Amino acid sequence: QVQLTESGGAMVQSGGSLRLSCALSGHTSSIYLMAWFRQAPGKEREIVAYKTWDIEKTSYTDNTYYSDFVTGRFTISRDNAKNTVYLQMNSLKPEDTAVYYCAGRDVYGLGYDVDEYYYWGQGTQVTVSS
């Protein structure tokens, strides 16, 4: 089992920045891919970005993906020594307001949908005011 704990959510003004953190614990060696999703009120949960967690498991291919709506503004990164994944969010917009979740995939391959990830954190609220 793997436990995920997000932190870093806050209220910021439009144009501001935040860095979200996701701490992994437990059997972290089982994870192939880590992702950030978000869910705004009344909307479905959608993927924001993903990144390979353990490049030794993927023949040293470091897969990274960003959804179009965050490309150029958000950056996903990992620190394996600290068992932490980050999401640096710059140039925030009111439409970025959502609960942000980190998710872990323990099956080889890439994942873009909610049902392709087994482990989930509890979420952290990001609110961007105009």
Side-chain angles (χ1 to χ4, degrees), residues 10 12 14-16 18 20 38-41 43 46 48 69-70 73-74 89-100 124-129:
V12 296
S14 181
L18 279 177
L20 305 182
R38 70 184 187 185
Q39 187 167 19
K43 295 188 176 181
E46 60 183 358
V48 175
F69 52 79
V70 302
R73 300 189 298 126
F74 292 10
M89 305 186 295
N90 299 327
S91 302
L92 283 162
K93 306 174 182 180
E95 50 264 43
D96 294 318
T97 294
V99 177
Y100 284 71
T124 186
Q125 177 70 48
V126 172
T127 303
V128 185
S129 61

Side-chain angles (χ1 to χ4, degrees), residues 37 47 111-117 120:
F37 284 75
I47 191 166
Y112 300 88
D113 297 320
V114 170
D115 57 5
E116 295 180 286
Y117 291 82
W120 290 86

Side-chain angles (χ1 to χ4, degrees), residues 4-52:
L4 306 177
T5 306
E6 302 99 333
S7 61
M11 178 180 291
V12 296
Q13 290 189 334
S14 181
S17 297
L18 279 177
R19 188 177 79 158
L20 305 182
S21 299
C22 174
L24 288 74
S25 61
H27 192 43
T28 62
S29 61
S30 67
I31 298 297
Y32 282 88
L33 193 71
M34 290 296 298
W36 286 95
F37 284 75
R38 70 184 187 185
Q39 187 167 19
K43 295 188 176 181
E44 293 187 350
R45 196 171 297 188
E46 60 183 358
I47 191 166
V48 175
Y50 68 56
K51 191 168 185 63
T52 298

Side-chain angles (χ1 to χ4, degrees), residues 49-74:
Y50 68 56
K51 191 168 185 63
T52 298
W53 173 248
D54 188 346
I55 60 173
E56 291 185 3
K57 291 185 174 182
T58 59
S59 300
Y60 296 92
T61 299
D62 195 359
N63 295 295
T64 304
Y65 167 83
Y66 297 98
S67 291
D68 289 344
F69 52 79
V70 302
T71 298
R73 300 189 298 126
F74 292 10

